[in-house]
Amino acid sequence: MGTVIFDLDGTLADTSGDLIAAANACFRGLGAGDILDARTDAGTALRGGRAMLRLGFDRIGQGTDEAEIDVQYPILLAAYAEAIDVHSYMYDGAMDAVEALKTSGFKVGICTNKPEGLAETLMQRLGVRDAFGSLIGADTLAVRKPDPEPLREAVRRAGGDPAQCVLIGDSDTDRNTAKNAGVPSILVTFGPGAGDMQALEPDALLPHYDDLF
């Protein structure tokens, strides 16, 4: 049987609330207050810490100050690590789908652009880490998605064949990762980062985890 690899943020779990809170901790430290809104900026949150910082600096009229973003990024990560599971939750049906895949003989793993240590902590805090045969983060290897090697390594560590896998994700990064690896992609159409997934031309769309089978 093949291997199913999942992206994490925006695919398995909605982590946007805790990411927004961590970015706002940076802006409060600069005296700017809470600049980002968990309701309207969730999509940006799922694109990563630097994307949130860029958005916030733009709102306070500071433009894209990459030097300041470099300063604030480790502060954001530290704030996030301290409160990583306050608002985050697994999407409805996600773990039922994972267990059904395993029962059917599939290997399962995670390939994320979240730093590995933070991803491990989050999955453990949410009580689901042991369900996955592998977890590859942004800093596990020398390269990250959309380079295909993290996906392939996630498959290998889960005990599968990289030529026989599928990547389930929520972004063009995931679509391009699968394409670069020469394997199919499935993009979820739920969650704050979904948008128009059809335009990315994945091999399939997933409106709910109940529809995976």
Side-chain angles (χ1 to χ4, degrees), residues 25-187:
C26 294
F27 294 117
R28 286 197 304 274
L30 294 170
D34 289 342
I35 300 300
L36 304 184
D37 189 306
R39 295 166 298 179
T40 59
D41 297 326
T44 300
L46 297 178
R47 293 201 299 271
R50 293 181 183 276
M52 291 188 294
L53 291 171
R54 290 188 185 99
L55 177 61
F57 280 127
D58 184 65
R59 285 184 179 167
I60 62 178
Q62 203 165 321
T64 306
D65 188 340
E66 292 297 331
E68 185 60 27
I69 288 171
D70 288 342
V71 171
Q72 294 297 321
Y73 185 63
I75 298 173
L76 184 154
L77 292 181
Y80 182 56
E82 290 182 4
I84 198 169
D85 63 338
V86 176
H87 305 291
S88 297
Y89 61 91
M90 300 296 290
Y91 283 118
D92 183 48
M95 294 312 300
D96 289 338
V98 168
E99 292 305 323
L101 286 168
K102 292 165 64 178
T103 298
S104 298
F106 289 91
K107 308 292 186 182
V108 295
I110 296 170
C111 183
T112 175
N113 273 350
K114 183 190 291 294
E116 180 184 352
L118 292 175
E120 287 280 0
T121 297
L122 177 61
M123 291 289 92
Q124 291 169 10
R125 295 273 184 88
L126 293 177
V128 298
R129 175 62 183 91
D130 290 345
F132 298 90
S134 64
L135 191 159
I136 299 296
D139 52 354
T140 306
L141 307 178
V143 292
R144 57 190 290 175
K145 297 187 298 185
D147 190 287
E149 191 55 29
L151 171 59
R152 291 168 178 157
E153 185 64 13
V155 176
R156 293 187 196 103
R157 294 191 187 187
D161 178 354
Q164 298 181 20
C165 74
V166 61
L167 175 61
I168 300 180
D170 72 318
S171 68
D172 57 345
T173 297
D174 295 311
R175 171 66 183 92
N176 292 337
T177 301
K179 182 178 180 180
N180 292 339
V183 300
S185 64
I186 300 173
L187 298 184

